[in-house]
């Protein structure tokens, strides 16, 4: 058995340099992390020579004038990785994606096709080089020895059978961390350091039985790795059960109905397989390959102006390079459409899943005709529920999800869900979270009593209405908003709040509760027409209106409103109306 | 008129965000005539509040918010002291509350019951409080009915006239609702309303700091703190007009603030503190008893015939009696007496050494008559201040015994330690604010690293620069906010610590003067005020200071007694030992008290001390005062005969004769004023203070006028007057008392004598009392080795917990020092002591045997001992087989031990563990012979060849510094000497032979980096190699260009010009380069 490992050093930098090849002659450093806490995570050799070190903060790096800084780009890394995988698959059907920068290929039987291992390794190297990536390739009798050699030695390394221990002997012990991460604890590394074990050779030479007495099986495993004698199978995605179906279409599909027909077929197959494994799915991934040339306005015209750009186009067609003013950058146009549909409960009913996919596609249609469909289900164990005898039936979770998807299709996904109050003094501070049927709880007498004590509620205008307010002695005297205009009969306030001062979106509000004289009936009608906002009832427990000094008994003769002055902006708004 | 009667300061620790002075400033700016400070459960900020108010002409009312248990929930009763009785009750109430629970207990644990409050209610006025007050708590619990019950209860406790129903308005609905209920209750019960601001900060801007404090208190970030944060910024000091407008519907509530303020008669000026009277044995009064003791002591010290001494003692006694300070002297004498009885070294320091009475009583060891020290520096009638006696005691247990004696003598409520208010400084502020803003720990660590620790700060060494150096971009809004908040947090109180030695005692109950609370250290009680506050409030204190060197001296004496059989009496050391003075002249002073620093070393060869008074001068001259006053060089030039001795005026010649016409001591300054301008002793002391740290321009001008008048009267010409005034004003700021210098010089001489005559004992004692002094242990060890001491490494078969002396077989003449196991970093003392105990029972047969006999020893501890070579002597480890070279060696080595440890420390599993346990049980019942046989068998069983190579010299160095922070082997530089020679590096000991002005290269491990405030940005480096210590001077511009190299690298090569003048050798750096000598993590003593 022979295995080849491909390793791309400084991978985050290489991924960026693929997109900006003109930077190859410069010192380039990649920073990662959320601003303002970005730190150096990778650099090229030129940058390394300039003295910068991993973990340095961005502002310090910016002081090095010769250094070019780029943010880490997961997209570019994914693209580079995909390109490497594709190149590897051209050689071998069995490829292990060990890490973003490391692949291992099973070379069994390939000698007949491509020649001896040296030739295969060289060919692999050439393929990767063509992708504009610098790589190291090593061939060994087992995957881990190949990985260790690829990471440890530049260029192409072919270890003759039985020569693993000899070849790998010079590698530092720390290199084991990349091979057996779970075994290589800081404690073990420290112990080995104290023993003076600096390289694979020293570790390999220790008596195994005595090593086992001291470091246990972890030590023995590390020694096998150091000797290049650790054998294991490749972890190829194909080895795990796959719930994915792909269909290439002779004619591009533009309509939802024929697409639904295709999806239905794929779903039937996937669900049958899921059932045979006693599994369901809680996540569906949909990928369409689009015919961008057929949709004139769907994507900007892309012109590959160099061999680099042309070769960068991956077989999956996920991205392309575009040339603009002599500068390469990742093209905005996408030739694939990717969507993930996350489900609240695991399910495997194809009809239900199809409904959800249809609703989803109706809300987010692809921008070009589809020539290939791939549907992947992420397997999950099905839900088991025991209902209680006295528990009222709640809506079926699966149907509820379909209903929510329908509503989301109409109002937008961000506008559907359950309002959840935030712990903040900021008025109206809430977020929309995913709606789930509330769990049954017996009615609490306390809650009932509290609800009974409530005498008023506030209908909140969202967004608030802009208002013009005249002040007298610091209190509102007249107000006009939404076509209404009137004198303030009574005002209570200001109730002052401010917060988030540490952010740019800090707020300062002076809130007033006011009673205004109701306008004439005709005007009232106008008001109702003009105020076209969604009204929701606030939970009385959170409105703090029980102590409101105005008496609700008067509301027939007057209108009661909550208004506020945004002190930062100096503008008045009406937040809502008391019932 | 409006008076703010409910304000809290930052002394409410994280619940207020302004200093008491800032509150007073705001109060004065708003023209409020008075203000009350009610901090949480204490009067921590009261002295500062009181003094700030006095300066601004504002009346300071004192009170506190006291946590009371109201139906199992804690509420804060705002209590105001109306009279001295009220204040005393408040202090007692708080003390009782605080002493109920350990320090830092949550409020519900220490809250007092209302019945307890009732006991102390007299003289106190209670407000119903704001949102944390009792009324709010009651309303929350049971509406207006419970609210009314609560106020009724308060009325019962404090009396109808002493309860005010409080109204606060911060523009929140909930509070307004409370106010409605409060008004109803007040009307129903006929109680007065009172408007207050519920102030938590001086200005609206300080609300942000309070929010940060809230985050710190609740361990949240600003993002996640939610409604724990302030709702708005309205808790600031408001003007009378604002308050009147806000409470226009309740004008009575505003008017009542004036009336209540008028009722609050108590201020801190009326504290009622009284120092305890010493119980003199009958028929003596304290005065006669002191007189008898002083006279007897005087005869003992000076002999019966010394008339000068007798007159001085009589003069002092007369003044002491006049000022009624007999009790104070007797109490200090009593402590000293106890120490002597218990064989605890003790010595008074500071200005007390100016007193012949103190010397006669044995409190101090310096003869003020013989040295012509000025008594007025210590005590004067005019000053109206308590004298200050500081006692130096050996740090550690001995000092604790003295402290506990004071507690026992005066009762737990009659004596206490003074507090030390810990404030937010650069690093702590940056860390806490960073956490509140949600910045990650790594970034905060980086920032902490860059916040300067230098004493000297150049104009660019600002927090702003620290931020930039740490890679934080100040143009980013969040970073900017971070920076601003860090600045605002500077100097705000963080928590209350304990002063290192200040104790206060009181006649009667100290807890009626200031509240007491438990300290973190068991058995200690601490008051709520710090040393400065106590001084400001006229509370007398005795400083029982722990001095590491005293402990080292004491331990040296014990070691000498035990190993040499010699009895050393520090009071009777040979006075002019040439060995000591020779060492001083050579600046060979590592480890000697007060004369070991780089600056001292650079002065010693020029000053060349040959008698005791020279050491006094040496101790005093390297101080900011003489340096800033430019006194050092004139003195040294005159001493070397290069400049004529010239007193400022012939009249002053007797005063300045001993210091060659250069004023060096505070006493001289006082005498100058007394002789030249006819000042009395008290006036002269007033002059010193006026020109001292807290100098006031106005006072200085007044005193200068008087000084000039006096000098003119005495016929001193204008030019001489100018010189005298200039000398006084430049020097007064940092002067050093001669008496204090003399006390220190005694200890310095003693340490030098011990070092010269009993090096092993002195080094062991020094190492056993670390941290202390200027140098790290590895430098002390290297210095001792250079002086010929054999330092033996840690060995589990020989070492104790502390360093000890041994007489090696091969070197029978002199003692060697064995390093103690306390230097094994990470080894617990209990483990070390168990090792000693077990090996005394029977020697260890093997590491396996050691592990089995010490079941509690941890794996890391065993590995550490092996790593540093401490297990090499355990017999079994001796047969290593190198890995690949095929040759065998019989040398013991650390890796063999590590190999054995790895097996011994690995859990054997339940089956084998049980067997081992069984073996142990059986063993307990066997006889020694059987055990020995078993060990012998075990030794054979355990013989197992180690496949590991011995450590290289570099690896041993790394292991030594990692495991001990020092090495007993060769200095790291010795291994690289050939390379250094090739680079043209001169060893430290050879520099003396090179001519002044030559270009040299020096190299070594950095043992000290200093950037003193007086050195104008110059940085001083001390580099150590195997031959000694060399010094380099780095100019500000070289430092600026090599900041990272100078600060971050442990081994440096410095190239520059040699300055070799008068035996003082240093290199003025032109280039500083990093050196890669070793991977060992050496340390340096930086940033004084």
């Amino acid at each position: 058995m022979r295995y080849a490992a491909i390793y791309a050093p400084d991978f985050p930098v290489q991924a960026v340099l693929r997109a900006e090849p003109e930077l190859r002659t410069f010192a380039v450093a990649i920073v990662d992390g959320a601003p303002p806490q970005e730190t150096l995570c990778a650099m090229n050799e030129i940058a390394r020579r300039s003295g910068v070190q991993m973990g340095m903060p961005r502002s310090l790096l910016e002081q090095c004038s010769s250094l070019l800084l780029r943010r880490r780009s997961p997209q570019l890394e994914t693209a580079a990785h995909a390109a490497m995988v594709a190149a590897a698959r051209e050689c071998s059907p069995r490829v292990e994606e060990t890490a973003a920068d490391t692949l291992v290929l099973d070379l069994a039987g390939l000698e007949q096709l491509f020649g001896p291992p040296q030739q295969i390794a060289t060919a692999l190297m050439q393929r990767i080089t063509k992708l504009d990536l610098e790589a190291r390739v090593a061939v060994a009798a087992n995957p881990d020895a190949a990985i260790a050699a690829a990471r440890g030695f530049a260029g192409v390394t072919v270890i003759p059978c039985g020569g693993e221990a000899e070849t790998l002997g010079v590698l530092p012990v720390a290199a084991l961390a990349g091979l057996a991460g779970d075994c290589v604890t800081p404690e073990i590394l420290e112990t080995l350091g104290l023993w003076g074990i600096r390289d694979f050779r020293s570790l390999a030479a220790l008596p195994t039985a005595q090593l086992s007495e001291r470091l246990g099986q972890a030590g023995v495993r590390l020694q096998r790795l150091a000797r290049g004698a650790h054998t294991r199978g490749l972890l190829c995605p194909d080895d795990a059960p796959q719930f994915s179906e792909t269909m290439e279409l002779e004619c591009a599909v533009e309509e939802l109905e024929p697409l639904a027909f295709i999806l239905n077929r794929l779903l039937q197959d996937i669900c049958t397989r899921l059932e045979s494994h006693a599994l369901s799915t809680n996540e569906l991934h949909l990928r369409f390959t689009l015919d961008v040339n057929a949709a004139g306005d769907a994507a900007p015209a892309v012109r590959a102006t160099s061999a680099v750009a042309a070769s960068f186009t991956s077989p999956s067609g996920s991205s392309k390079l575009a040339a603009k003013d002599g500068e390469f950058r990742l093209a905005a146009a996408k030739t694939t459409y990717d969507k993930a549909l996350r489900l609240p409960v695991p399910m495997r009913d194809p009809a239900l899943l199809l409904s959800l996919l249809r609703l989803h596609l109706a809300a987010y249609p692809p921008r070009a005709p589809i020539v290939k469909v791939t549907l992947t289900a992420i397997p999950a164990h099905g839900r088991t529920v025991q209902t209680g005898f006295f528990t009222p039936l709640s809506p079926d979770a699966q149907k509820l999800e379909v209903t929510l998807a329908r509503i989301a299709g109409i109002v937008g996904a961000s506008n559907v869900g359950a309002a959840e109050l935030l712990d903040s003094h900021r008025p109206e501070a809430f977020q929309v979270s995913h709606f789930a049927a509330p769990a049954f709880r017996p009615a609490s007498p306390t809650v009932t009593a509290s609800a009974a004590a409530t005498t008023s509620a506030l209908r909140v205008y969202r967004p608030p209405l802009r208002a013009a307010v005249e002040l007298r002695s610091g209190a509102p005297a007249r107000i006009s908003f939404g076509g209404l205009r009137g004198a303030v009969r009574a005002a209570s306030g200001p109730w002052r709040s401010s917060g988030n001062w540490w952010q740019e979106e800090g707020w300062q509000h002076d809130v007033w509760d006011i009673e205004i004289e109701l306008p004439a009936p005709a005007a009232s009608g106008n008001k109702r027409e003009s105020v076209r906002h969604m009204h929701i009832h606030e939970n009385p427990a959170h409105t703090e209106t029980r102590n409101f000094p105005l008496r609700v008994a008067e509301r027939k003769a007057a209108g009661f409103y909550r208004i506020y002055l945004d002190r930062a902006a100096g503008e008045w708004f009406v937040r809502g109306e008391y019932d | 008129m409006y008076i703010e009667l409910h304000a809290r300061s930052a002394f409410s620790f994280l619940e207020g965000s302004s200093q008491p002075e800032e509150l007073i400033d705001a109060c004065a700016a708003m023209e409020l005539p008075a203000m009350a400070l009610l901090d949480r459960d204490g009067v921590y900020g009261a002295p500062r509040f009181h003094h700030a108010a006095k300066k601004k002409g504002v009346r300071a009312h004192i009170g506190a918010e006291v946590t009371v248990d109201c139906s199992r929930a804690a509420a804060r009763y705002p209590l105001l002291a109306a009279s001295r009785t009220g204040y005393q009750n408040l202090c007692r109430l708080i003390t009782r509350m605080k002493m109920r629970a350990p320090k830092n207990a949550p409020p519900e644990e220490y809250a007092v019951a209302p019945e307890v409050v009732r006991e102390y209610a007299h003289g106190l006025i209670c407000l119903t409080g704001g949102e944390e007050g009792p009324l709010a708590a009651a309303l929350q619990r049971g509406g207006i009915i419970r609210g009314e019950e609560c106020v009724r209860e308060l009325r019962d406790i404090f009396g109808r006239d002493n309860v005010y129903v409080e109204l606060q308005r911060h523009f929140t609905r909930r509070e307004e609702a409370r106010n409605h209920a409060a008004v109803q209750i007040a009307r129903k019960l006929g109680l007065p309303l009172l408007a207050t601001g519920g102030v938590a900060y001086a200005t609206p801007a300080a609300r942000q700091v309070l929010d940060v404090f809230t985050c710190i208190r609740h361990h949240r970030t600003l993002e996640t703190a939610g409604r724990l944060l302030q709702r708005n910024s309205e808790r600031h000091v408001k003007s009378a007009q604002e308050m009147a407008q806000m409470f226009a519907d309740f004008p009575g509530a505003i008017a009542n603030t004036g009336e209540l303020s008028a009722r609050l008669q108590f201020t801190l000026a009326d504290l009622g503190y009284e120092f305890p009277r010493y119980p003199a044995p009958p028929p003596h009064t304290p005065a006669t008893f002191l007189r008898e003791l002083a006279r007897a002591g005087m005869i003992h010290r000076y002999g019966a015939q010394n008339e000068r001494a007798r007159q001085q003692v009589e003069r002092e006694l007369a003044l002491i009696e006049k000022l009624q300070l007999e009790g104070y002297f007797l109490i200090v004498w009593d402590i000293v007496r106890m120490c002597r009885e218990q064989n605890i070294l003790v010595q008074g320091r500071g200005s007390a050494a100016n007193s012949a009475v103190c010397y006669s009583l044995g409190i101090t060891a310096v003869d003020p008559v013989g040295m012509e020290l000025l008594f007025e520096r210590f005590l004067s009638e005019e000053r109206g201040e308590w004298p200050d006696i500081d006692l130096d005691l050996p740090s550690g247990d001995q000092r604790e015994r003295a402290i506990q004696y004071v507690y026992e003598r005066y009762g737990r409520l009659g004596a206490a330690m003074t507090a030390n208010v810990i404030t937010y400084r650069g690093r702590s502020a940056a860390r806490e604010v960073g956490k509140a803003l949600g910045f990650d720990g790594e970034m905060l660590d980086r920032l902490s690293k860059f916040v300067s620790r230098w004493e000297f700060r150049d104009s660019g060494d600002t927090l702003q620069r620290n931020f930039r150096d740490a890679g934080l971009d100040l143009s980013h809004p969040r970073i900017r906010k971070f920076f601003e908040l860090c600045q605002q947090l500077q100097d705000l109180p963080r928590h209350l610590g304990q002063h290192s030695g200040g104790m206060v005692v009181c006649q009667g109950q100290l807890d009626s003067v200031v509240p007491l609370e438990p300290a973190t250290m068991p058995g200690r009680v601490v008051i709520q005020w710090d040393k400065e506050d106590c001084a400001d409030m006229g509370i007398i204190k005795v400083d029982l200071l722990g001095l590491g060197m005293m402990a080292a001296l004491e331990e040296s004496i014990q070691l000498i007694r035990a190993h040499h059989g010699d009895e050393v009496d520090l009071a009777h050391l040979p006075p002019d030992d040439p060995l000591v003075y020779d060492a001083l002249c050579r600046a060979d002073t590592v480890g000697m008290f007060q004369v070991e620093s780089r600056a001292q070393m650079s002065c010693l060869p020029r000053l060349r001390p040959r008698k005791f008074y020279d050491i006094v001068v040496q101790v005093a001259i390297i101080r900011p005062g003489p340096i800033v006053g430019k006194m050092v060089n004139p003195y040294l030039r005159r001493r070397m005969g290069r400049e004529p001795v010239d007193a400022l005026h012939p009249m002053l010649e007797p005063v300045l004769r001993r210091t060659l016409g250069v004023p060096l001591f505070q006493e001289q300054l006082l005498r100058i004023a007394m002789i030249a301008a006819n000042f009395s002793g008290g006036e002269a002391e007033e002059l010193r203070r006026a020109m001292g740290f807290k100098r006031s321009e106005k006072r200085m001008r007044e005193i200068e006028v008087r000084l000039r008048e006096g000098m003119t009267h005495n016929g001193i010409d204008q030019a001489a007057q100018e010189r005298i005034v200039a000398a006084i004003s430049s020097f007064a700021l940092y002067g050093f008392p001669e008496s204090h210098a003399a006390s220190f010089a005694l200890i310095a001489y003693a340490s030098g004598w011990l070092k010269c005559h009993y090096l092993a004992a002195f080094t062991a004692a020094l190492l056993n009392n670390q941290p202390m002094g200027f140098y790290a242990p590895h430098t002390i060890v290297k210095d001792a080795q250079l002086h010929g001491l054999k330092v033996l490494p840690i060995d589990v078969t020989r070492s104790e917990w502390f360093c000890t002396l041994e007489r090696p077989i091969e070197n029978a003449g002199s003692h060697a020092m064995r390093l103690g196991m306390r230097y094994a970093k990470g080894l617990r003392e209990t483990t070390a002591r168990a090792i000693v105990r077990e090996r005394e029972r029977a020697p260890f047969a093997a590491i396996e045997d050691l592990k089995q006999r010490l079941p509690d020893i941890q794996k890391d501890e065993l590995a550490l001992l092996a790593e540093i070579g401490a297990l090499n002597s355990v017999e079994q480890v001796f047969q290593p087989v190198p890995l690949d070279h095929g040759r065998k060696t019989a040398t013991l080595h650390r890796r063999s031990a590590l190999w054995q440890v790895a097996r011994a420390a690995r859990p054997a599993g339940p089956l084998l563990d049980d067997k081992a346990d069984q073996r142990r049980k059986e063993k307990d019942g066997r006889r020694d012979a059987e055990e020995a046989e078993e060990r012998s068998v075990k030794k054979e069983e355990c013989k197992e060849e180690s496949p590991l190579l011995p450590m290289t010299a570099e690896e041993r160095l790394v292991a030594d510094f990692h495991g001990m922070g020092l090495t007993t082997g060769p200095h790291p530089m010795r291994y690289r000497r050939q390379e250094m020679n090739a680079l043209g590096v001169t060893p430290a000991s050879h520099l003396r032979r090179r001519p002044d002005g030559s270009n040299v290269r020096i190299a070594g491990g950095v043992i000290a980096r200093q950037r003193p405030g007086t050195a104008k940005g110059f940085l001083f480096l001390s580099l150590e190699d195997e031959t000694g210590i060399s010094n380099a001077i780095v100019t500000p511009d070289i430092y600026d260009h090599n900041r990272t190299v100078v600060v971050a690298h442990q081994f440096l090569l410095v190239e520059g010009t040699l300055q070799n003048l008068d035996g003082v050798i240093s290199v003025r750096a032109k280039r500083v380069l990093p050196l890669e000598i070793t991977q060992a993590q050496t340390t340096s003593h930086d940033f004084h």
Side-chain angles (χ1 to χ4, degrees), chain A residues 335-412:
Chain A
T335 57
T336 57
Y337 169 96
D338 289 290
K339 278 288 168 200
L341 184 65
R342 286 176 185 85
L343 306 168
V345 288
M347 48 178 94
R348 62 168 179 247
D349 179 354
L352 207 60
L353 293 171
L354 183 63
S355 300
L356 286 171
L357 282 178
R358 287 181 66 141
L359 288 165
H360 209 71
L361 287 168
Y364 306 102
R367 291 183 302 165
I370 300 159
V371 292
K372 186 178 169 187
V373 179
T374 303
L375 187 61
T376 307
I378 307 298
H381 288 285
R383 189 173 71 142
T384 50
V385 180
Q386 175 72 56
T387 54
F389 188 71
F390 295 105
T391 310
L393 284 176
S394 57
D396 179 73
Q398 302 182 6
K399 287 181 182 166
L400 177 64
E401 199 56 29
V402 174
T403 309
L404 288 172
R406 286 201 176 110
I407 298 170
I410 298 166
V411 300

Side-chain angles (χ1 to χ4, degrees), chain A residues 17 24 64 93 158 196 201 209 217 253 257 286 294 303 398 402 438 441 474 515 526 529 532 576 579:
Chain A
L17 291 179
R24 285 182 187 283
C64 305
V158 177
R201 179 171 295 124
Q217 283 309 299
V253 173
E257 278 310 314
L286 197 57
R303 184 167 57 87
Q398 302 182 6
V402 174
R441 281 198 209 100
E515 177 190 8
N526 290 342
E529 281 175 13
R532 286 183 181 168
D579 267 350

Side-chain angles (χ1 to χ4, degrees), chain A residues 377-456:
Chain A
I378 307 298
H381 288 285
R383 189 173 71 142
T384 50
V385 180
Q386 175 72 56
T387 54
F389 188 71
F390 295 105
T391 310
L393 284 176
S394 57
D396 179 73
Q398 302 182 6
K399 287 181 182 166
L400 177 64
E401 199 56 29
V402 174
T403 309
L404 288 172
R406 286 201 176 110
I407 298 170
I410 298 166
V411 300
S414 59
N415 294 324
V416 184
E420 188 185 339
L421 283 174
L422 294 175
D423 181 13
S424 168
H425 290 303
R426 183 160 56 86
E428 312 296 321
F430 74 98
Q431 65 183 14
V432 176
S433 55
H434 188 83
F435 180 80
F440 171 73
R441 281 198 209 100
S444 150
T446 330
V447 171
T448 317
S450 161
T454 305
T455 54
S456 66

